[in-house]
Amino acid sequence: MYLERLRLDGKVAFVTGGAQGIGYCCAEALAEAGARVTIGDRDADAIGKAIETLAAKSYALDGVVLDVTKSADVTRVADQLAARAGRIDILVNNAGIARSETAAEDVADEHWLNVLDVNLNGTFWCARAFGRHMLAQGSGSIVNVGSMSGFIVNRPQPQSYYNASKAAVHQLTKSLAAEWADRGVRVNAVAPTYISRPRSMLSPTSKAKCTSAGSTARRKAGSANPRKSPRSCISWLPTRPA
C-alpha cells in the first residue's frame, strides 16, 4: 500500500529545461512513476532526442520549445497544456544557467541580468502561470530546483550572480508555499550539489584548484552522474501525503 502512494498515474506534469541534465532525469522519473510528462526546453533538437530516447524505454512524453524568460510564452504554454490535458498537477521548475567563472568586479550588466532572468524570473513566471491552474483546481505540486549555492559560497569558482539567483529561488519557494498551502498547492525546493551537465562544468583551472584544495566534495566538482541527481526526491514530492 505504501508503494502505491509513490505512483503518479494519470498526473499531468511539466518539466522546464527537461531535455537534458537534471531536468531530463526528472522527466524520466516522473514518467516511470506513471505521470503524463511534457518537457519544455529552448533546444528543439534536444527535445526530440530526449523524447526519442525515453520512447525506447516505453515512456511517451510530449515536448514544447519554451524560453522561460518570456512570460507571455510561459503563460501560453501553461494555458495550452491545461486546455489539452484538462488539468496540471505537477510543475518542476528546473531551467537554469550558471555562467560561472566571472569575478564580481568583471560581471557585465548583461551577464548579471541574464542569470537572474533565467534562474529567478523564469522560475516565477512558470510558478505563476502553472500555479494559476493548480489554484483553480484546488491542488497541485511545484518543485523548484534551487542549489546548494543558495546557501553556501562555492570555491574556487567566482559566481556571485548564480549564488544570489539560487538564494532568491529558495526564498521565493518559501513565500509561495506560505501563500498557497491553504489553497491546495504545495511548493517545495531541492538544492542539488555538483552535477555534470553542459551548463555547469567547471573550467580546467577551477578543477585543478578543487583538487589541490583537498576537499573530496570539491574534487568531484563537475563529475557527478546526472542520474544521481535529485530525481527520486523530485518525483516523490508530488506524491500523496502520508
Side-chain angles (χ1 to χ4, degrees):
M1 182 176 294
Y2 178 73
L3 291 179
E4 292 178 0
R5 293 182 176 275
L6 302 180
R7 296 294 303 173
L8 296 169
D9 297 298
K11 297 294 185 181
V12 178
F14 191 89
V15 182
T16 69
Q20 54 194 321
I22 292 175
Y24 171 88
C25 293
C26 292
E28 180 181 19
L30 291 168
E32 184 179 348
R36 297 156 55 193
V37 183
T38 299
I39 56 177
D41 202 285
R42 292 187 306 174
D43 190 332
D45 291 337
I47 291 174
K49 183 177 179 180
I51 291 176
E52 181 180 355
T53 301
L54 292 173
K57 299 180 181 181
S58 300
Y59 301 134
L61 279 73
D62 292 320
V64 60
V65 175
L66 176 65
D67 181 346
V68 298
T69 68
K70 309 297 184 184
S71 63
D73 290 349
V74 169
T75 298
R76 173 180 53 80
V77 167
D79 291 349
Q80 289 176 346
L81 177 59
R84 183 173 72 251
R87 60 186 297 109
I88 300 174
D89 300 294
I90 302 164
L91 168 67
V92 178
N93 258 324
N94 167 75
I97 59 174
R99 294 185 66 176
S100 300
E101 313 278 352
T102 300
E105 68 272 21
D106 296 324
V107 175
D109 290 1
E110 178 277 331
H111 192 151
W112 174 273
L113 293 172
N114 178 224
V115 174
L116 269 291
D117 201 17
V118 176
N119 295 356
L120 178 58
N121 292 347
T123 294
F124 179 73
W125 303 150
C126 290
R128 181 181 65 181
F130 287 83
R132 284 170 177 157
H133 294 281
M134 296 178 182
L135 291 167
Q137 68 198 24
S139 65
S141 174
I142 297 173
V143 183
N144 296 327
V145 178
S147 172
M148 69 174 189
S149 303
F151 300 96
I152 57 95
V153 176
N154 309 72
R155 296 290 296 165
Q157 73 273 25
Q159 53 179 35
S160 58
Y161 37 86
Y162 178 77
N163 297 350
S165 72
K166 288 301 185 178
V169 166
H170 286 286
Q171 184 64 20
L172 172 64
T173 299
K174 290 185 283 187
S175 299
L176 294 177
E179 283 191 37
W180 293 348
D182 62 355
R183 298 170 67 186
V185 178
R186 290 174 289 155
V187 186
N188 292 281
V190 295
T193 181
Y194 292 107
I195 299 292
S196 177
R197 60 191 192 277
R199 294 189 179 92
S200 68
M201 299 298 286
L202 297 181
S203 69
T205 299
S206 285
K207 285 185 179 180
K209 289 181 180 178
C210 285
T211 301
S212 63
S215 164
T216 299
R218 287 183 287 178
R219 281 202 304 272
K220 293 181 179 179
S223 64
N225 187 338
R227 292 189 62 81
K228 295 181 180 179
S229 70
R231 48 179 273 150
S232 297
C233 181
I234 289 175
S235 64
W236 168 76
L237 284 170
T239 61
R240 289 180 295 164

